[in-house]
Amino acid sequence: MTGPAWTPSGGGGASELPVTSQTTSFTADITDCVVLCSGPSPFTVTLPTAAGNAGKFFIIKNVGSQVITVDANGAQTIDGLANYILPIQYDAVQVLSDGANWVVV
């Protein structure tokens, strides 16, 4: 089942994205979209499966001062790699499911 990439708000053409803030290791739910990460120590955001979720995207942003690791689900990859590192504050990555893996867009 694929979750919506965005939800239109009433009128004006604006949209709202589901936002969650995390401070420790976290497995994203398919209904999440924007994940803001800050914590007292480095941690990992694990993506849900890309399989069967083509078109779903996530934006993960490091809003703190610790290293954030974005981890693909199981044997899946992010642009061919097992994970993606956000080493410094304000780094971000947007990933999109191609139905089998995650790609950086």
Side-chain angles (χ1 to χ4, degrees):
M1 180 164 118
T2 301
W6 58 274
T7 303
S9 65
S15 63
E16 296 177 14
L17 299 173
V19 177
T20 183
S21 296
Q22 298 298 323
T23 59
T24 61
S25 289
F26 165 75
T27 298
D29 187 86
I30 200 66
T31 60
D32 293 323
C33 188
V34 178
V35 182
L36 304 177
C37 303
S38 66
S41 59
F43 67 91
T44 300
V45 174
T46 303
L47 297 170
T49 184
N53 288 308
K56 172 64 182 170
F57 75 93
F58 288 91
I59 300 167
I60 297 103
K61 184 165 181 85
N62 182 350
V63 295
S65 59
Q66 299 294 329
V67 173
I68 305 301
T69 301
V70 181
D71 195 26
N73 189 294
Q76 294 173 1
T77 62
I78 302 168
D79 271 3
L81 302 172
N83 56 49
Y84 192 94
I85 306 296
L86 302 174
I88 59 174
Q89 188 174 34
Y90 306 123
D91 275 351
V93 64
Q94 181 170 315
V95 294
L96 175 74
S97 170
D98 67 5
N101 290 289
W102 297 97
V103 294
V104 175
V105 292

